Amino acid sequence: MAGDIKQKFGTSNQAITITVASLTNGSARESTAVDNSSNLYQDALVFVKLKSGASSTSATGYCAVYAYATADGGTTYPDNVTGSDAAVTLVAPPNLKPIGVINMVANSTTYKAGPFSVAAAFGSLPEKWGIVIVNKTGGTLDSTGGNHSVFYQGILQQYT
């Protein structure tokens, strides 16, 4: 019996827990780790929406988006990452996988970027993974939590 293998998309707009409101310039924030042990997605497409602060945004400002993961069920992560929604101090350069850059060059402006593939960074989607956002805008990000969001959609394969 002949068939095709096609992409199958998981639920869209799955929230990634990361608190970036009031993230200061030069600071980094990690998300809570996403557990892929049940869904077994082959990839996750990450989309990021951030709003710059009211002042000090540089004409060359940006936020860097990195992916992190573990291979021991969530005990050990690279750098100082813990798998929790928290501030994180990264080594320079970070021992994380870059997955995207969001150019943020004006004050009080909402920027949307992605989708960024997590599997492309690692060769396949790890069992537990998350993201880190580093603010390099020159200013502090907007202080209203609702003005920022990070979400993903998983990708599977199906036999038809």
Side-chain angles (χ1 to χ4, degrees):
M1 180 162 109
D4 294 320
I5 297 175
K6 297 181 179 181
Q7 281 187 335
K8 178 180 178 183
F9 293 95
T11 304
S12 63
N13 201 29
Q14 295 187 68
I16 296 175
T17 303
I18 184 169
T19 306
V20 293
S22 299
L23 185 65
T24 59
N25 183 57
S27 296
R29 186 85 184 188
E30 66 175 286
S31 74
T32 299
V34 176
D35 188 341
N36 189 40
S37 62
S38 295
N39 292 323
L40 303 175
Y41 292 129
Q42 292 184 327
D43 197 359
L45 301 177
V46 174
F47 200 90
V48 180
K49 181 180 87 167
L50 302 174
K51 185 173 182 184
S52 56
S55 63
S56 301
T57 303
S58 168
T60 57
Y62 66 94
C63 280
V65 183
Y66 293 93
Y68 71 83
T70 186
D72 66 1
T75 302
T76 310
Y77 293 100
D79 282 2
N80 297 308
V81 173
T82 63
S84 300
D85 178 15
V88 62
T89 302
L90 302 175
V91 299
N95 291 311
L96 306 175
K97 303 288 188 177
I99 61 169
V101 173
I102 305 161
N103 291 313
M104 300 180 70
V105 298
N107 293 327
S108 299
T109 303
T110 299
Y111 294 91
K112 301 169 200 162
F116 306 123
S117 168
V118 177
F122 296 103
S124 64
L125 189 64
E127 178 185 14
K128 297 200 190 286
W129 61 273
I131 65 161
V132 172
I133 294 177
V134 181
N135 180 356
K136 296 289 190 178
T137 64
T140 299
L141 296 184
D142 186 86
S143 62
T144 303
N147 288 336
H148 311 280
S149 64
V150 181
F151 53 91
Y152 76 98
Q153 182 173 29
I155 298 177
L156 298 161
Q157 287 188 352
Q158 66 180 351
Y159 183 76
T160 59

